[in-house]
Amino acid sequence: MDNVMTYGQILLFFIMCWLSYFVYWLLSRGPPFAFKLHRRSHKGPIKLKNLTSKKHWARGEAVKVADDGTQTTNLYRVAGNTFGEAANRQCIAFLLPEQSQQNFQQAVSVVVDGLRIGTLSARDLISFRVMLRDARLDAQVTSCDAYIGGGGTALDGKKQHYSISLDVDWFEA
């Protein structure tokens, strides 16, 4: 008797190899996305009404706010511009230090009108934390003047990005 595999046996062999590789790939990715939802619940649009500031920072240099794109709907609401026109708004922003044990450089949320619109950029995070510590305001909400510009639609029909900047002097006593 010959040890020859038929086409069906060859096909079955390749399907079993592919299936075992697929199971390995699924198991090596870690738990499914559904289990990660409870850890990411703080990333969504956070409504923070009635914040009170322990300190209002004096005007100084323009500090850019990092926007990763997750707060676009909140930013659109706060900017108050209609479709096609650019935003031009002066406002008060609240700086809310995040309480997280996972991250060494804890984020600082920027909140305007009770809506989170971004985070303090990594470049300014260290100096902000140092000034908070020196003013004995660790993990306290502070405020500063802010400007929201940009947005709208360009001549070619593409949506423009918003620009958020804080007018703040970290070294003011």
Side-chain angles (χ1 to χ4, degrees):
M1 194 176 241
D2 294 337
N3 287 336
V4 177
M5 293 178 69
T6 64
Y7 288 114
Q9 290 173 331
I10 293 172
L11 185 62
L12 182 62
F13 175 73
F14 282 113
I15 289 174
M16 293 303 289
C17 289
W18 179 84
L19 187 61
S20 63
Y21 175 75
F22 182 70
V23 168
Y24 167 75
W25 178 75
L26 282 176
L27 292 175
S28 67
R29 291 177 56 208
F33 180 70
F35 294 116
K36 294 181 182 177
L37 286 178
H38 61 86
R39 281 193 282 160
R40 297 179 140 202
S41 62
H42 71 283
K43 293 278 187 182
I46 299 172
K47 293 190 177 189
L48 303 163
K49 297 288 183 186
N50 302 327
L51 287 176
T52 56
S53 174
K54 298 293 181 181
K55 176 180 182 59
H56 186 81
W57 298 97
R59 290 179 172 254
E61 64 180 271
V63 174
K64 293 288 184 188
V65 174
D67 179 23
D68 59 359
T70 59
Q71 308 300 326
T72 305
T73 55
N74 288 348
L75 188 53
Y76 180 75
R77 289 180 191 147
V78 169
N81 59 331
T82 59
F83 181 75
E85 70 178 18
N88 184 12
R89 179 169 181 215
Q90 298 282 342
C91 54
I92 301 293
F94 292 94
L95 305 175
L96 178 67
E98 297 285 333
Q99 300 298 320
S100 170
Q101 289 84 18
Q102 299 172 348
N103 195 355
F104 175 70
Q105 289 186 344
Q106 297 173 343
V108 175
S109 295
V110 178
V111 178
V112 175
D113 295 342
L115 296 171
R116 180 179 168 186
I117 61 170
T119 58
L120 199 60
S121 65
R123 182 184 73 117
D124 297 303
L125 188 59
I126 295 171
S127 58
F128 175 71
R129 291 285 184 178
V130 168
M131 288 300 119
L132 272 183
R133 189 189 67 224
D134 290 347
R136 293 184 176 83
L137 294 171
D138 291 329
Q140 298 293 323
V141 177
T142 58
S143 63
C144 64
D145 295 320
Y147 173 76
I148 301 173
T153 307
L155 294 176
D156 59 357
K158 293 183 180 178
K159 291 184 179 180
Q160 300 285 0
H161 295 284
Y162 285 98
S163 171
I164 313 159
S165 63
L166 307 175
D167 192 6
V168 64
D169 182 9
W170 298 133
F171 302 106
E172 169 255 334

